[in-house]
Amino acid sequence: MNYLQLATDFIQPKLKGKYIHLETILPILNNLNSDFKVSEIGKSVQDRAIYKVEFGVGKTKILMWSQMHGNESTTTKGLFDFFNFLQSDSELAKNIKENYTLLCIPMLNPDGSYLYTRENANAVDLNRDAFLATQPEMKVLHAIYNSFQPDFCYNLHDQRTIFGTEGFNLPATVSFLSPAYNEERAYNDVRLKAIQVINKMNDFLQQYIPNQIGRFDDSYNVNCTGDYFTTQNTPTILFEAGHYNNDYDRDLVRKFVFIALLSSFTVSYENVIVDNELTKYLNIPQNNKSFYDFIYKNVKIIDNNEEKIINFAAQYSEVVSEGELKFVAEIVKIDDLQNFNGHEEYDCSGGLFSANGDNFPKIGDKASFFINNLTEFNNGVKII
């Protein structure tokens, strides 16, 4: 079965780009077929509705939530693509319906999603509020968790373009984590159950994005949702949708999220060979911070009347303006780039930098400049 073709066939066409908020998903929620039960389960700080979507009648219960961080929408798109698939007459869709009960919260932080911020409207990172549950959105998640009593939790996120896979000059397009349950980061049966699912998803994804699947850092923090639910003895899997070449809108990466979700339901939960599963998991390369969006090499500058050849890097920031998401490239690092890669790299061959009357880049400035007063770079990109 070609899972990438399935991911393409079942894309939800009404969800595009990264700016996905409640008004974007509501029409789709209202049009899910009768196999789905959609209901409001609470309100956000700014009184926006939080919805759950239930599917299936099976024994194994899985709780999923997306957009806990409002500006992390790739997994939301992948989740709705998965809903599209579940509405089909595929045998695998029927098998999921018969053997699983899914409870999905497609947008836990609707205020942050509208404002395009990581935090909620109280400027609280919900993924640091799991233990105390001070925020209304986290109270909703706790209440659903306690009433549903899931067998597994899927914690769906995005990660920045800065992450690569250790040992490879490749972006971490999808990353996973079986969160720790104690400071020692020991492995128990709960973590191993999550690891078994991660290994299956990794096997499938390697067919499509080899060496671009990462293992997220497992430093313990009980305030983080995954760590907290693992301490409550529920196997929890962190999904992190990352970067793929030239896919800043992440409309290709959503397909890999779909593949991960779908392949997770092909796991046999019996006869776990503990040593084999843990070894496979630990062989997934660690995420590391090894990328910038742009690196410019061999750039001549004049600083205090002295000529130098340097390298510098620029990174996109994401800004919502007039209802649209804009990518704004800013200079973030000068020199000391030996261990970094650029998603786009330019060799300026000793050409002289100029911008706003200066012959040297400044951190925080827009990445719009000239080389030798001839070659123009606008918003990070070389103008041809």
Side-chain angles (χ1 to χ4, degrees):
M1 184 182 295
N2 187 331
Y3 275 46
L4 186 56
Q5 186 60 54
L6 283 178
T8 302
D9 292 343
F10 288 99
I11 267 187
Q12 171 48 255
K14 294 180 180 178
L15 296 180
K16 293 180 180 179
K18 293 190 72 178
Y19 187 38
I20 306 295
H21 49 81
L22 188 58
E23 288 76 12
T24 320
I25 67 168
L26 263 178
I28 306 169
L29 286 176
N30 291 332
N31 281 301
L32 291 172
N33 71 20
S34 59
D35 289 335
F36 295 83
K37 298 176 184 174
V38 179
S39 57
E40 183 178 321
I41 52 174
K43 297 282 192 182
S44 66
V45 172
Q46 295 182 337
D47 208 37
R48 289 184 174 88
I50 301 171
Y51 291 93
K52 70 175 179 179
V53 177
E54 295 178 87
F55 177 89
V57 294
K59 178 181 176 183
T60 302
K61 297 186 289 183
I62 299 181
L63 172 63
M64 309 182 195
W65 60 93
S66 187
Q67 272 183 281
M68 166 177 279
H69 294 143
N71 59 354
E72 298 180 2
S73 61
T74 309
T75 50
T76 303
K77 293 188 291 187
L79 186 58
F80 275 93
D81 298 342
F82 182 56
F83 290 165
N84 244 2
F85 171 78
L86 292 176
Q87 294 184 114
S88 73
D89 58 2
S90 159
E91 285 303 315
L92 182 51
K94 292 175 184 176
N95 178 270
I96 293 171
K97 181 179 180 180
E98 292 168 2
N99 291 288
Y100 294 88
T101 299
L102 310 182
L103 195 161
C104 308
I105 305 173
M107 188 171 287
L108 183 63
N109 181 6
D111 297 343
S113 302
Y114 179 76
L115 298 168
Y116 203 72
T117 60
R118 178 181 174 90
E119 298 83 8
N120 73 348
N122 286 334
V124 173
D125 184 339
L126 297 179
N127 205 31
R128 300 297 182 270
D129 189 46
F131 184 72
L132 294 177
T134 65
Q135 299 303 299
E137 298 91 349
M138 185 54 70
K139 291 180 192 297
V140 167
L141 183 59
H142 272 241
I144 288 295
Y145 173 84
N146 290 328
S147 62
F148 187 54
Q149 297 186 345
D151 297 296
F152 289 86
C153 289
Y154 290 4
N155 185 10
L156 305 172
H157 287 263
D158 278 37
Q159 64 183 14
R160 291 174 291 163
T161 61
I162 62 174
F163 288 102
T165 49
E166 191 171 41
F168 302 94
N169 292 325
L170 294 169
T173 301
V174 180
S175 297
F176 299 111
L177 173 67
S178 171
Y181 70 94
N182 62 9
E183 293 283 355
E184 292 73 30
R185 298 185 284 182
Y187 293 94
N188 61 359
D189 288 344
V190 176
R191 289 192 77 184
L192 287 167
K193 286 180 180 178
I195 283 168
Q196 185 185 15
V197 179
I198 290 170
N199 286 341
K200 178 62 75 171
M201 294 189 291
N202 180 52
D203 287 344
F204 272 79
L205 286 169
Q206 288 292 344
Q207 301 172 57
Y208 305 103
I209 44 172
N211 303 318
Q212 290 181 237
I213 299 96
R215 179 167 48 87
F216 211 77
D217 176 69
D218 68 346
S219 298
Y220 177 70
N221 182 350
V222 73
N223 298 301
C224 294
T225 317
D227 304 50
Y228 175 76
F229 286 145
T230 302
T231 66
Q232 303 303 301
N233 295 318
T234 303
T236 301
I237 299 168
L238 173 68
F239 292 65
E240 293 276 358
H243 185 66
Y244 189 86
N245 188 37
N246 293 322
D247 184 37
Y248 282 94
D249 282 331
R250 298 198 174 171
D251 283 324
L252 178 56
V253 173
R254 69 191 289 176
K255 296 182 182 183
F256 303 125
V257 173
F258 172 94
I259 291 169
L261 288 170
L262 187 56
S263 62
S264 76
F265 294 94
T266 66
V267 174
S268 170
Y269 299 112
E270 299 177 358
N271 302 319
V272 180
I273 303 173
V274 172
D275 290 342
N276 286 0
E277 293 291 350
L278 183 55
T279 299
K280 280 182 67 176
Y281 175 70
L282 294 176
N283 281 336
I284 298 172
Q286 189 90 25
N287 260 16
N288 64 356
K289 295 179 181 179
S290 58
F291 273 92
Y292 289 104
D293 290 324
F294 302 97
I295 288 181
Y296 311 93
K297 296 181 175 180
N298 302 311
V299 181
K300 182 191 290 185
I301 67 167
I302 301 174
D303 188 11
N304 292 324
N305 296 317
E306 182 181 355
E307 290 189 357
K308 299 178 183 176
I309 299 294
I310 66 159
N311 303 322
F312 69 95
Q315 193 74 13
Y316 279 131
S317 60
E318 299 174 4
V319 180
V320 171
S321 175
E322 299 179 349
E324 291 187 7
L325 181 65
K326 300 184 188 246
F327 294 88
V328 181
E330 298 176 345
I331 296 169
V332 294
K333 185 78 170 175
I334 298 172
D335 270 348
D336 193 24
L337 297 173
Q338 183 176 352
N339 296 318
F340 290 91
N341 302 290
H343 293 302
E344 192 75 47
E345 296 189 356
Y346 298 99
D347 186 346
C348 297
S349 302
L352 179 64
F353 176 96
S354 62
N356 305 315
D358 292 319
N359 292 121
F360 54 90
K362 296 177 183 176
I363 289 176
D365 278 1
K366 300 273 176 57
S368 295
F369 55 90
F370 286 88
I371 297 295
N372 284 338
N373 288 321
L374 294 172
T375 305
E376 182 181 3
F377 289 81
N378 183 42
N379 200 32
V381 179
K382 183 178 179 180
I383 304 300
I384 299 174

